[in-house]
Amino acid sequence: QYAALFLDGEADMLEDDDFEKSRELKKRAARLYYRGCLYSLRGLELDHHDFRKRLREDPEKMLSRMGKKDVPLLFWAGAGWIGTISIDSSNMARLAELSLAEAVMRRVLALEEDFGDGVVHEFFISFEGGRSEMMGGSAERAREHYRRAVVLWDGGKASPHVALAATVAVREQNLEEFKDLLEKALAVD
């Protein structure tokens, strides 16, 4: 969370004014994302022997063994993993792991969609909406996660509105939707 809120976010704001500082913050965020991912994967191995090895060999089989008690570690493993990949997208070894990290997050969604007040839907708004169709993303799937997130949070959280605005509305260059979503975010107490 620290990497996402304080390093990655600040790096994005600094990119135009201080590219070198922005790049250093991104590198630090990537290291923290990956460290969090590794801690979570090690935690999963306490209950599931050779989790990482077996995940790579047969993700579907390994993830089918996961239960609700595994959801927090699965979520943080997947979030950290994808955070690392998103920052270091030129690293082909990391990029090749995207399908594994996505499978982990999809298992979280299947096991407990309302984990952390539905934060997994917010993740998928950005994940689906932030990638082009060619890269496997989908504006429609992002909107489906947005609608579900709003229901789960009963409109009491600004972040789903911001996530959809920053990904889908920007990518589609839909100024009206962008403004509408940000107004909804600002209206949240």
Side-chain angles (χ1 to χ4, degrees), residues 128-133 137-143 164-178 181:
E128 294 288 359
R131 298 179 302 152
S132 69
E133 303 272 332
S138 167
E140 185 50 41
R141 286 192 306 264
R143 284 188 174 94
L164 192 65
T167 57
V168 175
V170 167
R171 192 176 60 190
E172 293 178 347
Q173 295 294 288
N174 187 335
L175 183 60
E176 289 306 310
E177 181 182 35
F178 182 83
L181 288 164

Side-chain angles (χ1 to χ4, degrees), residues 8 17 35 48-49 51-52 59 63 66-67 70 73 81 100 120 122 131 145 161 169 171 175:
D8 207 1
D17 297 327
R35 185 186 304 164
H48 306 280
H49 180 69
F51 175 80
R52 286 182 277 185
L63 290 170
M66 302 290 105
D70 300 308
L73 288 174
W81 209 346
L100 288 175
V120 70
E122 186 176 345
R131 298 179 302 152
H145 287 289
H161 307 299
R171 192 176 60 190
L175 183 60

Side-chain angles (χ1 to χ4, degrees), residues 3-132:
L5 294 173
F6 296 103
L7 300 177
D8 207 1
E10 184 178 345
D12 288 340
M13 289 188 291
L14 286 174
E15 193 168 26
D16 290 337
D17 297 327
D18 191 346
F19 183 75
E20 287 302 315
K21 175 79 172 169
S22 172
R23 195 167 80 184
E24 287 305 312
L25 288 172
K26 289 275 188 189
K27 286 180 184 178
R28 185 169 176 226
R31 288 190 305 269
L32 288 175
Y33 281 139
Y34 197 60
R35 185 186 304 164
C37 170
L38 290 177
Y39 286 149
S40 298
L41 291 172
R42 285 185 207 136
L44 287 163
E45 288 190 336
L46 293 174
D47 289 331
H48 306 280
H49 180 69
D50 285 337
F51 175 80
R52 286 182 277 185
K53 179 180 179 249
R54 292 164 51 197
L55 179 66
R56 290 180 191 287
E57 290 170 353
D58 191 345
E60 190 175 321
K61 183 178 180 182
M62 186 68 239
L63 290 170
S64 71
R65 296 177 178 170
M66 302 290 105
K68 273 190 147 187
K69 70 178 182 60
D70 300 308
V71 164
L73 288 174
L74 285 170
F75 177 82
W76 291 113
W81 209 346
I82 290 175
T84 303
I85 294 166
S86 71
I87 288 178
D88 195 10
S89 60
S90 63
N91 182 329
M92 291 300 121
R94 289 263 188 268
L95 196 55
E97 297 173 336
L98 183 60
S99 63
L100 288 175
E102 180 180 356
V104 167
M105 294 303 278
R106 293 210 182 277
R107 185 62 179 152
V108 171
L109 186 63
L111 286 169
E112 191 175 350
E113 74 159 339
D114 61 347
F115 167 74
D117 294 326
V119 72
V120 70
H121 284 288
E122 186 176 345
F123 165 84
F124 276 110
I125 295 167
S126 296
F127 184 73
E128 294 288 359
R131 298 179 302 152
S132 69

